[in-house]
């Protein structure tokens, strides 16, 4: 199948391009490199042996998107293209609404008009907010979003559901709610490329281990968890990439009695505290990470991890790569980009 991968030069998109190719699909990247670098295409060429076909342009530009759909025989779409910095979205809400909602509407419109049958959307565990119970199930309520970014994921899910149901069977779609993606391809040639000071734990940790940052601050040790630090469900980006292949396979092969639109958690089902993650990194890499306890970060929730039964049962996917490997893969990637 020819799969259009919007945001395919980004962190999760680039790993998904690799897994799509390994699964026998042909990925076609659409990205304007607003949060990635063209050098990711070199990394992909090293892994795949050839450069994936790439269209450089903005997904909110309907004329540009139309030229791609006219030029290619597209069978399915994976829509990653979005901005993702929670704090920036609070400062610049219209930037986030325009880009994240505008790109979804534009790409979905072309998908429908060109009769493309399968669409996978990047949603996020952020839609659950502070959960009432753990592990989090897909049927648990979505809480009012605490940032414009989070709101774009809730609105995005709703747009996709409504559009899919209105298409009367011509489109089938899945929203994947990612928990916390970490890690990098084992070759060390592609990985996460945070621009500026990282907000997320693992890139901050690996930059500190590499000596680029003085010290990692652990945001709070007075949460109601076993060691007082926050708990998250860290999922290896290659496992996450494979969940997209499972979603597409399901959309292409589903019986007609399956729901046309569905949502799935993509997590390991296991919670890891910040302190445990730092300890695991130090043990697995042998590198000490200077760190100190600081105050809580505004907006952080205490614990968040997935019930991943639905995706295992229905799509046959479950996470396979352990946290230890995710952290050594992140470290290999960090060393490569620091060198
Ligand atoms: P990323 O920033 O590395 O990748 C996104 C890519 O989309 C970038 O290459 C960027 O240049 C491109 N892009 C953005 N807007 C575009 C536009 N209008 N036109 C063309 N290209 C555009 O981010 P990522 O971590 O790979 O995230 C991918 C998706 O997964 C996003 O939708 C994000 O919200 C979602 N998500 C990410 C996480 C996470 O922690 N990384 C968690 C949950 C959900
Ligand atoms: C993880 C844990 C921090 C940095 C974010 C988005 C979410 C989703 C994934 C897109 C928390 C702690 C962090 C540091 C720390 N993205 N931490 N020191 O906040 O769970 O989720 O990324 O959809 O929407 O909010 O991820 O990596 O920022 O934090 O102690 O320097 O690490 O408090 O407990 P988070 P994170």
């Amino acid at each position: 199948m020819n799969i259009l991968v919007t945001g395919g030069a980004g962190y999760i998109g680039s790993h998904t391009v690799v897994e799509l190719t390994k699964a026998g699909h042909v990925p076609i990247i659409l990205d304007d490199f607003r949060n990635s670098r063209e050098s990711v295409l070199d990394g992909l060429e090293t892994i795949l042996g050839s450069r994936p076909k790439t269209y450089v342009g903005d997904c909110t530009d309907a004329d540009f998107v139309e030229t791609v759909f006219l030029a290619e025989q597209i069978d399915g779409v994976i829509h990653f293209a979005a901005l993702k910095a929670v704090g920036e979205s609070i400062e610049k809400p219209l930037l986030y609404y325009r880009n994240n909602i505008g790109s979804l509407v534009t790409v979905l419109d072309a998908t429908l008009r060109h009769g493309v049958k399968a669409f996978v959307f990047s949603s996020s565990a952020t839609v659950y907010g502070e959960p009432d119970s753990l592990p989090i199930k897909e049927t648990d309520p979505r809480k009012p979003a605490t940032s414009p970014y989070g709101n774009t994921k809730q609105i995005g899910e709703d747009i996709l559901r409504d559009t899919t149901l209105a298409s009367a069977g011509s489109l089938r779609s899945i929203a994947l709610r990612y928990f916390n993606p970490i890690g990098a391809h084992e070759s060390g040639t592609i990985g996460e490329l945070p621009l500026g000071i990282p907000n997320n734990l693992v890139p901050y940790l690996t930059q500190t281990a590499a000596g680029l940052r003085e010290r990692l601050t652990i945001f709070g040790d007075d949460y109601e968890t076993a060691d007082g630090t926050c708990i998250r469900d860290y999922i290896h980006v290659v496992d996450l990439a494979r969940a997209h292949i499972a979603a597409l396979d399901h959309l292409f092969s589903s019986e007609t009695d399956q729901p046309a639109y569905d949502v799935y958690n993509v997590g390991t089902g296991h919670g890891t505290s910040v302190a445990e993650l730092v300890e695991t990194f130090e043990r697995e890499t042998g590198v000490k990470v200077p760190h100190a306890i600081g105050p809580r970060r505004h907006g952080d929730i205490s614990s968040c991890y997935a019930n991943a039964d639905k995706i295992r049962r229905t799509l046959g996917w479950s996470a396979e790569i352990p946290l230890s490997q995710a952290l050594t893969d992140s470290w290999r990637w960090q060393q490569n980009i620091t060198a």
Side-chain angles (χ1 to χ4, degrees), residues 60-80:
T60 67
D61 176 344
D63 292 339
F64 165 69
V65 170
E66 185 65 12
T67 59
V68 178
F69 275 80
L70 284 172
E72 301 292 340
Q73 186 61 49
I74 295 166
D75 300 300
V77 175
I78 307 179
H79 181 59
F80 291 108

Side-chain angles (χ1 to χ4, degrees), residues 134-137 179 233 265-270 304-309:
L134 290 163
I136 303 172
K137 295 193 293 295
F179 281 66
D233 187 338
N265 288 340
V266 195
T268 65
H270 300 289
C304 170
Y305 53 94
N307 176 318
D309 291 348

Side-chain angles (χ1 to χ4, degrees), residues 143-225:
K143 297 285 173 63
T146 52
S147 71
Y149 168 74
N151 210 17
T152 67
K153 293 302 174 191
Q154 298 203 5
I155 297 168
E157 287 188 353
D158 294 345
I159 290 172
L160 184 59
R161 180 202 57 215
D162 294 347
T163 309
T164 304
L165 297 182
S167 80
S170 77
L171 178 69
R172 304 178 57 76
S173 68
I174 285 177
L176 296 177
R177 293 175 174 164
Y178 314 156
F179 281 66
N180 287 58
I182 63 165
H185 191 264
E186 61 182 355
S187 65
T189 50
I190 55 171
E192 190 168 8
L193 263 181
L195 305 176
I197 301 171
N199 295 309
N200 294 117
L201 176 62
V202 170
Y204 204 102
L205 182 154
T206 56
Q207 288 195 6
T208 308
L212 302 174
R213 312 262 159 226
E214 200 180 331
R215 128 171 5 91
L216 170 74
T217 302
I218 294 180
F219 296 142
D221 68 348
D222 57 351
Y223 287 93
E224 286 186 13
T225 60

Side-chain angles (χ1 to χ4, degrees), residues 6-14 30-37 57-61 64 79-84 98-100 103 121-126 149 152-153 176-182 191-193 200 237 240 244:
T6 74
Y11 174 43
I12 306 168
S14 57
L30 191 169
D31 203 303
D32 65 1
F33 303 113
R34 75 180 59 197
N35 198 41
S36 48
R37 303 212 182 101
D58 183 345
C59 291
T60 67
D61 176 344
F64 165 69
H79 181 59
F80 291 108
L83 294 169
K84 61 168 180 177
R98 183 177 289 121
N99 192 54
N100 294 7
S103 66
F121 173 64
S122 299
S123 189
S124 168
T126 194
Y149 168 74
T152 67
K153 293 302 174 191
L176 296 177
R177 293 175 174 164
Y178 314 156
F179 281 66
N180 287 58
I182 63 165
E192 190 168 8
L193 263 181
N200 294 117
V237 66
L240 173 57
H244 295 77

Side-chain angles (χ1 to χ4, degrees), residues 287-333:
V287 179
K288 288 284 165 214
V289 182
H291 59 275
I293 306 296
R296 291 182 178 200
R297 181 172 68 178
H298 179 71
D300 273 346
I301 58 174
S302 167
S303 296
C304 170
Y305 53 94
N307 176 318
D309 291 348
K310 181 178 175 186
I311 189 165
R312 181 177 45 75
R313 263 198 332 267
T314 316
L315 306 190
W317 174 94
S318 54
E320 290 173 358
I321 310 175
L323 178 69
S324 52
Q325 190 185 326
L327 293 173
T328 51
D329 287 342
S330 288
W331 179 228
R332 187 178 308 108
W333 164 245

